[in-house]
Amino acid sequence: MPGRITVVTAVHAPSARFLPEAHKSLCEQWLPDGWEWDWVIQEDGATDAVRPYVPDDERVSFRQGRPGGPGIARTIALAHADGEYVKVLDADDQLPPGTLARDLAALEADRTIGWTTSRVLDLLPDGTTAGFPGDPDEGPVERGAVLSFWRENGFRAQVHPATLFVRRDLLTALGGWMALPASEDTGLLLALNAVSRGWFSAEVGLLYRKWEGQATGQASHVDPAERQARMAVSEARARALADFGWTYPAGG
């Protein structure tokens, strides 16, 4: 049986129109012999607005469910993720060519690394891209480094959770994404780094679309009371995991 990477995407009606572009970016990936990808698209809800944009590709599956936010949608999609690895791809984003191969190579080369992230460029409405300073050097991200940086820099991680590529067994052991209305991917990243080393690739691994309908651009995303609560529970989870001493790999 070939090795498999399962790409997981949560989608809602406003972002569905970007699915064909995300699919095109997946089709432009290359993988080493013996590896393949499949794409699990999970609608956060059950409308008639998403299915028309789902690509006609035997590697793509589409399911719906009651709405609960992107973290819930991604986590329920794990029921259909049978690859050794899981790659996150938001519906409105794109993977530059070579991304999956680099992610895979990093984890196949070192069994002590549980996850990877990579450099991000913003994809602006006019089609241009923009980077931003502050990326770490390429290489390992040691346990606890993400939480320390996040606490010291206004709850901003030095690596982007939307670029995550992770061992499926590690992801499921941590329960998937956090049940939060937002920042559910940052909460997962903090938990992953609490129990395992990661890897950062300095090559661009994501085009992160900026548009008026994205969830992170809504006023509710920066509501002070909710934001404080999200940050508090994410930090508490990461610190508890570190204190318990459970690690990946076991005994590491």
Side-chain angles (χ1 to χ4, degrees), residues 4-8 22-31 35-41 54-63 80 82 100:
R4 179 172 295 178
I5 298 165
T6 297
V7 181
V8 170
H23 179 247
K24 180 176 182 293
S25 78
L26 277 173
C27 291
E28 292 172 349
Q29 300 299 307
W30 61 83
L31 291 171
W35 284 90
E36 63 184 20
W37 58 262
D38 68 332
W39 191 16
V40 178
I41 301 173
V54 175
D56 182 12
D57 185 327
E58 63 182 6
R59 297 168 294 181
V60 179
S61 61
F62 171 64
R63 291 174 176 84
H80 310 285
D82 56 3
L100 288 185

Side-chain angles (χ1 to χ4, degrees), residues 105-130:
L107 294 193
E108 287 286 287
D110 189 343
R111 299 300 297 179
T112 72
I113 292 176
W115 51 275
T116 72
T117 54
S118 55
R119 185 177 177 226
V120 174
L121 291 180
D122 286 343
L123 177 59
L124 304 176
D126 64 0
T128 61
T129 59

Side-chain angles (χ1 to χ4, degrees), residues 52-178:
Y53 295 98
V54 175
D56 182 12
D57 185 327
E58 63 182 6
R59 297 168 294 181
V60 179
S61 61
F62 171 64
R63 291 174 176 84
Q64 298 172 301
R66 54 179 170 169
I72 301 298
R74 291 192 204 103
T75 300
I76 201 71
L78 290 180
H80 310 285
D82 56 3
E84 294 93 320
Y85 300 106
V86 172
K87 175 66 175 179
V88 177
L89 177 60
D90 287 348
D92 49 357
D93 294 340
Q94 300 172 34
L95 300 179
T99 298
L100 288 185
R102 286 193 300 272
D103 289 340
L104 177 65
L107 294 193
E108 287 286 287
D110 189 343
R111 299 300 297 179
T112 72
I113 292 176
W115 51 275
T116 72
T117 54
S118 55
R119 185 177 177 226
V120 174
L121 291 180
D122 286 343
L123 177 59
L124 304 176
D126 64 0
T128 61
T129 59
F132 43 90
D135 287 334
D137 295 333
E138 175 152 345
V141 181
E142 299 300 334
R143 286 180 58 202
V146 176
L147 178 61
S148 295
F149 186 97
W150 180 81
R151 281 288 301 166
E152 294 166 4
N153 291 271
F155 303 117
R156 183 182 64 84
Q158 76 272 48
V159 293
H160 204 303
T163 67
L164 183 67
F165 182 94
V166 60
R167 300 185 190 276
R168 186 188 60 173
D169 55 356
L170 176 57
L171 175 60
T172 54
L174 291 174
W177 286 263
M178 293 191 73

